Amino acid sequence: MSNAEVCCSPVTERPMSAEEAETAARMFKALGDPVRLRLFSAVASHEGGEACVCDISDVGVSQPTVSHHLKKLKEAGLLTSERRGTWVYYRVEPAVLAAMGRLLVGSSAGALT
Amino acid sequence: MSNAEVCCSPVTERPMSAEEAETAARMFKALGDPVRLRLFSAVASHEGGEACVCDISDVGVSQPTVSHHLKKLKEAGLLTSERRGTWVYYRVEPAVLAAMGRLLVGSSAGALT
DNA sequence: CGTCTATGTTGACGCTTGTCGATTCAGGTG
DNA sequence: CACCTGAATCGACAAGCGTCAACATAGACG
């Protein structure tokens, strides 16, 4: 259900419809908070493309707040989570980065590594 | 002063610092509202890369609200404005799209058209 | 100058959001 | 089982945000 597939043609191609904008804005909004952006970057740059909460929770806010932001990122379709024993691991939804990049630069930014 | 040059290395490269996140989040936040995203797309996709307010103000909200959102986009460094006679024209700051794209996909998405 | 049109600004309103402390849940360990 | 640690949820609060109607400003035109 991740918004990645649905959304969208590049912003420079034609004016976005209300529906497209609604979907895309939800993803941008999720990255529109400094703490969330740091958490997201921490996960995305972590080895293996995934990280335990304990690895990334040092962003200067309380533990409930970290949990809250991770939930938001998950709801936006940017992260997925999985519990393994004591710890919970978050990983980046790969298609999302490509989709958002394509939305901005239009070109073949969809070509992933 | 546009945030484009300052910001940043790709999110997947290393965890963002608090300062980087603050800067980048401001740009994502600006695109995190459906109405603003539609306005931005309308300008970006308009011929010549610029548009008069009168050309794009049909997004379902009142005129003051349109003006308010355009101001926000301007403050975020995504748009610039210029008055020419009766009308005010907005245009996309070109480096910004490339910078945000690079932030997401990491690759050589900076290569513009 | 007076008036008309195109944008911007102000002030107010309700809703959303980021944050925390307290609590709860989940799993491991003794 | 009791206890401890990692993580999520709850409840509350202040701050921020999107929206509008009313008003203000800027330029064109008579």
Side-chain angles (χ1 to χ4, degrees), chain B residues 2-97:
Chain B
S2 104
N3 314 312
E5 305 85 11
V6 194
C7 213
C8 300
S9 49
V11 285
T12 54
E13 189 176 303
R14 54 175 173 73
M16 299 184 73
S17 72
E19 292 76 20
E20 286 176 315
E22 200 80 39
T23 304
R26 212 172 307 149
M27 301 193 291
F28 283 119
K29 190 175 187 177
L31 296 181
D33 178 85
V35 173
R36 272 198 301 269
L37 192 50
R38 288 186 72 188
L39 288 171
F40 182 76
S41 173
V43 173
S45 65
H46 204 264
E47 50 178 347
E50 73 172 13
C52 167
V53 176
C54 57
D55 291 326
I56 61 174
S57 52
D58 190 21
V59 287
V61 295
S62 70
Q63 174 268 319
T65 302
V66 169
S67 197
H68 168 72
H69 283 306
L70 288 173
K71 184 178 184 180
K72 284 289 192 72
L73 287 168
K74 216 167 92 176
E75 288 171 349
L78 302 182
L79 294 180
T80 60
S81 71
E82 179 193 0
R83 172 155 225 143
R84 287 208 292 277
T86 305
W87 295 284
V88 177
Y89 291 83
Y90 283 79
R91 66 167 51 241
V92 175
E93 195 64 46
V96 170
L97 281 176

Side-chain angles (χ1 to χ4, degrees), chain A residues 56-108:
Chain A
I56 60 174
S57 51
D58 189 21
V59 286
V61 294
S62 70
Q63 175 268 320
T65 302
V66 169
S67 198
H68 167 72
H69 283 307
L70 288 173
K71 185 179 184 180
K72 284 291 192 74
L73 286 167
K74 216 168 92 177
E75 287 171 349
L78 301 183
L79 294 180
T80 60
S81 71
E82 179 194 359
R83 170 154 227 144
R84 286 208 291 277
T86 304
W87 296 283
V88 177
Y89 291 82
Y90 282 79
R91 67 167 48 242
V92 175
E93 195 64 45
V96 170
L97 281 176
M100 293 185 73
R102 204 178 318 124
L103 200 69
L104 292 173
V105 297
S107 75
S108 58

Side-chain angles (χ1 to χ4, degrees), chain A residues 4 6 10-11 14 16 20-21 28 31 41 64 85 88-91 96-97 110:
Chain A
V6 194
V11 285
R14 53 174 174 74
M16 298 184 74
E20 287 176 314
F28 283 119
L31 296 182
S41 173
V88 177
Y89 291 82
Y90 282 79
R91 67 167 48 242
V96 170
L97 281 176

